Amino acid sequence: MRRLSSCGIAAWLLTVAAAVQAQVPSGPGDWPQWRGPNRDGISHEKGLLKQWPEEGPKVLWQIDSVGAGYSSLAVKDGRIFTQGDIDGVEHILAIDANTGRTLWAVQPSPVAALLTQRLEDEFKKIDQNGDGRVDELEALRRFGWDFNKHDQPVEGDGRARAASRAAAVFAQLDADKNNRLSYAEAANVLRDEFERADAKDEAADVQKLAAERAEASLKAADESKDGRVSRQESRGSWLDRKFGQIDERDPATNKGDEELTRDEIVAYLVKSEPGRDGELSADELAGHYASRNPVGDGQLTLEELRGFFGGYRNGMGDGPRGTPTVDGERVYVEGGNGDVTCLEAASGKTIWHVNLRNDFGGNVPGWGYSESPLIVGDRVIVTPGGKQGTVLALNKKTGEKIWQSADLTESAHYVSAALAEIHGIPQIVQFARESVFGVALDDGRLLWKYNAPANGTANCCTPIIDGDLVFASSSYGTGGGLAKVSSAGSLQEAEEVYFEKKMACHHGGIVKIGDYMYSNAGGALICMNFATGDIAWQSRSVGKGSLVAADGMLYVLSESQQVALVEATPEEYREHGRFKYTGHGRQSWAHPVVAGGKLFIRDQQSLTAYDVAE
């Protein structure tokens, strides 16, 4: 830890005091970080519409070029900053807030250099025949059908091209040249596509076909010739993938005997794969290609290959999650894989870069790093998680470590930290895998912990802090609790005031206005007294999602792309307008933003600006 002179300490404390009050510098029309100027979901905007037209507020502009992902927005001095996965590569973007024009879109230079080296290494491995290109079979073996996501479209007759590609793949896989592809010939390459392409014969005798297929499968796999197929004997055959479904369970134990009989195989085929013979004809594969409609040429260039390794990948949606933080002329960003970068706001030039996993022993949460960096004075606060320390303070000018919370080693989850001063101690309040807690701003020492709101699956909601009271909440059947932090000198302790299961915040955040909190992150929109936990009212409104507040109103966004304007009052639910926009096939998880008289909504690669000024 750095040592400061008495003058340095005084200056630092003044900086901290100002930061506690103002967070990062912001002016009228700014939303410079996650959840707004003070990380509380409240905009300072005034003079906004109190009633929307029936069709919703006017659309000022819309773009579809911010890339896939769930990152929300930071708005500063007429510029929007966000992150997105563009052509498979994680980018940081700056956009003109008045026109939607992209000012710059960059990948941090150290990350780009590492990616280039990896691409060269991967290309050599994948190009098994050494012809200097990745052909379709090589791409399928390495990536499966997903390679088509990054195989860029080419001009021409798409159906004819798909048929030609299918024919070429068929010819290469048909090792015995019998014009049929067996599971052994093709499944390791086609994977799930093999089963999808195996068309159902509506005219087939289902029972007879199942019996013939079961007999052939049993004969091929039953090495011991005992009339049964063990788990080991099934390896490499289609029976291996379906073993658990075929092996009938004993009702008393709910477990199978780990052996497959002919009758069990027949029963499975009749029920789950009726009319399917377990082989592919050339026509079946061609029909499957036509239905899947691949738009590329079936080959991957080095640039196309970049899309497989250039960003964060997840079954719940690819792309970055964290929101940038703007501090003066610098932008601080955390990517889905833990890349923390400081960039020039004007140009996107990288100033410094670190990786939470490689440099600080972090462990990437199951759905990716989703945090938005917190700036406090000369420090950047991020949460790598792991044995070296859950929370980390970096020098915001250089990226050098100031401290890491060595006595707190919980795994990181999906929460962005908040700044507080409780009983005279400036501290970082964060919510990790096991608890919500406070660590001292000066050296990262643990001050207090509160475990009840943690669910262990996904803690996402930034805590709400008022004086020595901290409210934290999570979903998955958990709920939210208020803790009172007491102090005895340098020691602090959190004691629960109440716990309310209905205030279960998944990912959508909570806003506190006056004595009341509002959240739609558990399903219903709830208004609850912060100090007592008494629920004033609840409404279905537009459903589960996220919300922010501005000029006495709540801007409520649902996961299903509905938006409502609701009065922020504990008296009753009062809606002042609603509209629905077209989504992109995934739930809307990026939080809305109100800045400069505009409502900004990001839905995957689309960003829309609505005029909400009076």
Side-chain angles (χ1 to χ4, degrees):
M1 181 181 138
R2 299 179 305 165
R3 296 188 179 277
L4 299 173
S5 66
S6 58
C7 291
I9 292 173
W12 182 75
L13 287 174
L14 286 173
T15 300
V16 169
V20 169
Q21 186 174 32
Q23 305 266 319
V24 292
S26 63
D30 289 344
W31 186 278
Q33 63 176 333
W34 164 252
R35 301 289 290 165
N38 291 320
R39 288 207 162 203
D40 55 7
I42 300 175
S43 169
H44 295 160
E45 294 280 303
K46 300 294 181 184
L48 304 179
L49 291 172
K50 296 297 189 294
Q51 183 71 44
W52 286 346
E54 184 176 348
E55 67 278 9
K58 177 184 177 182
V59 174
L60 295 172
W61 53 260
Q62 183 178 71
I63 57 174
D64 295 300
S65 53
V66 296
Y70 298 113
S71 298
S72 187
L73 320 171
V75 183
K76 175 71 174 167
D77 297 332
R79 292 175 293 187
I80 299 169
F81 300 90
T82 190
Q83 298 189 85
D85 190 298
I86 300 174
D87 295 333
V89 178
E90 190 170 274
H91 281 73
I92 304 155
L93 301 93
I95 298 160
D96 187 301
N98 293 314
T99 65
R101 180 173 64 91
T102 298
L103 303 174
W104 50 258
V106 301
Q107 185 182 26
S109 51
V111 180
L114 288 172
L115 176 59
T116 297
Q117 183 59 56
R118 183 179 182 185
L119 284 174
E120 293 176 359
D121 296 341
E122 290 284 350
F123 196 88
K124 292 176 183 176
K125 294 177 184 176
I126 300 170
D127 181 21
Q128 295 181 352
N129 60 16
D131 64 354
R133 63 193 180 101
V134 176
D135 62 29
E136 184 140 6
L137 276 186
E138 291 169 335
L140 284 168
R141 287 191 178 101
R142 176 63 176 85
F143 305 109
W145 190 262
D146 274 356
F147 93 86
N148 285 287
K149 293 180 180 178
H150 302 282
D151 186 12
Q152 295 300 307
V154 294
E155 296 181 356
D157 185 340
R159 293 185 65 84
R161 184 171 56 254
S164 175
R165 286 175 57 181
V169 168
F170 190 94
Q172 292 177 78
L173 292 178
D174 185 17
D176 59 11
K177 306 302 178 185
N178 69 343
N179 293 319
R180 306 285 296 177
L181 292 184
S182 67
Y183 187 90
E185 288 175 317
N188 285 339
V189 175
L190 294 176
R191 303 179 193 176
D192 291 340
E193 305 309 311
F194 183 92
E195 185 175 328
R196 293 170 180 151
D198 185 9
K200 180 179 179 180
D201 182 355
E202 300 291 349
D205 182 328
V206 170
Q207 192 71 38
K208 180 181 178 182
L209 180 60
E212 292 173 351
R213 187 176 170 190
E215 192 66 42
S217 299
L218 189 65
K219 181 179 179 180
D222 181 19
E223 297 177 2
S224 64
K225 307 303 179 184
D226 63 353
R228 294 172 175 270
V229 176
S230 67
R231 178 78 73 169
Q232 182 60 40
E233 288 175 325
S234 76
R235 302 301 186 198
S237 72
W238 74 272
L239 295 171
D240 187 18
R241 291 192 68 185
K242 305 295 183 179
F243 199 99
Q245 299 175 52
I246 300 172
D247 190 13
E248 294 181 359
R249 297 175 182 270
D250 183 338
T253 64
N254 198 33
K255 294 181 180 179
D257 62 4
E258 292 296 298
E259 291 187 323
L260 305 183
T261 66
R262 178 186 180 281
D263 288 345
E264 285 177 319
I265 299 171
V266 170
Y268 166 80
L269 290 173
V270 169
K271 179 181 178 181
S272 301
E273 299 185 26
R276 291 185 168 88
D277 61 7
E279 293 185 326
L280 298 185
S281 67
D283 287 344
E284 283 177 320
L285 189 60
H288 182 66
Y289 265 73
S291 67
R292 297 281 270 163
N293 191 32
V295 296
D297 60 4
Q299 299 180 22
L300 291 181
T301 64
L302 194 63
E303 191 59 33
E304 288 172 332
L305 192 62
R306 185 177 297 271
F308 282 95
F309 305 105
Y312 177 73
R313 301 286 174 265
N314 190 277
M316 295 300 292
D318 295 341
R321 282 94 161 98
T323 300
T325 300
V326 189
D327 182 36
E329 288 303 315
R330 294 188 173 191
V331 180
Y332 299 84
V333 182
E334 181 176 307
N337 289 310
D339 293 299
V340 177
T341 310
C342 172
L343 309 100
E344 289 183 355
S347 66
K349 178 182 177 182
T350 299
I351 298 172
W352 58 257
H353 162 270
V354 296
N355 183 273
L356 297 182
R357 179 177 51 185
N358 299 334
D359 299 324
F360 303 104
N363 44 19
V364 181
W367 291 296
Y369 279 112
S370 305
E371 180 182 30
S372 304
L374 171 64
I375 305 295
V376 185
D378 65 349
R379 303 175 181 205
V380 182
I381 309 297
V382 287
T383 311
K387 294 181 180 180
Q388 294 183 29
T390 302
V391 183
L392 171 70
L394 302 171
N395 184 301
K396 75 175 184 181
K397 293 182 179 179
T398 66
E400 295 176 346
K401 184 174 79 170
I402 298 174
W403 55 255
Q404 192 166 357
S405 61
D407 59 342
L408 181 73
T409 57
E410 294 182 23
S411 298
H413 260 214
Y414 312 96
V415 178
S416 297
L419 176 65
E421 183 175 321
I422 301 177
H423 296 295
I425 301 179
Q427 56 190 268
I428 306 302
V429 178
Q430 178 59 304
F431 196 177
R433 185 180 188 278
E434 301 167 23
S435 66
V436 59
F437 52 81
V439 296
L441 178 60
D442 62 352
D443 61 4
R445 69 188 184 280
L446 178 63
L447 298 169
W448 57 268
K449 293 177 72 173
Y450 175 43
N451 301 91
N455 61 46
T457 301
N459 303 316
C460 309
C461 183
T462 297
I464 303 296
I465 308 155
D466 188 350
D468 60 359
L469 298 174
V470 178
F471 184 87
S473 174
S474 72
S475 190
Y476 298 92
T478 305
L482 184 73
K484 181 179 178 64
V485 180
S486 60
S487 180
S490 62
L491 301 176
Q492 294 190 338
E493 184 177 1
E495 182 179 358
E496 185 170 278
V497 178
Y498 66 79
F499 197 91
E500 175 52 68
K501 293 195 70 171
K502 289 184 178 179
M503 186 61 97
C505 182
H506 187 199
H507 64 80
I510 300 170
V511 295
K512 179 180 179 293
I513 301 174
D515 295 332
Y516 289 85
M517 295 186 295
Y518 303 84
S519 179
N520 67 325
L525 179 60
I526 293 178
C527 172
M528 189 173 87
N529 187 289
F530 175 80
T532 68
D534 295 330
I535 295 176
W537 54 258
Q538 53 185 320
S539 170
R540 292 182 63 185
S541 188
V542 292
K544 177 187 170 187
S546 55
L547 82 172
V548 296
D551 201 13
M553 308 297 283
L554 303 174
Y555 292 73
V556 186
L557 169 64
S558 78
E559 293 181 331
S560 57
Q561 290 84 39
Q562 291 193 72
V563 191
L565 183 67
V566 179
E567 194 173 332
T569 174
E571 296 176 4
E572 61 182 351
Y573 177 80
R574 296 173 185 164
E575 187 174 307
H576 293 252
R578 178 187 295 212
F579 69 94
K580 182 176 176 61
Y581 63 90
T582 302
H584 292 78
R586 289 195 174 274
Q587 293 174 320
S588 182
W589 285 348
H591 290 205
V593 166
V594 178
K598 303 177 185 67
L599 166 64
F600 296 102
I601 294 179
R602 192 271 182 77
D603 190 276
Q604 291 296 309
Q605 64 265 29
S606 177
L607 175 61
T608 307
Y610 299 87
D611 185 1
V612 293
E614 286 184 329

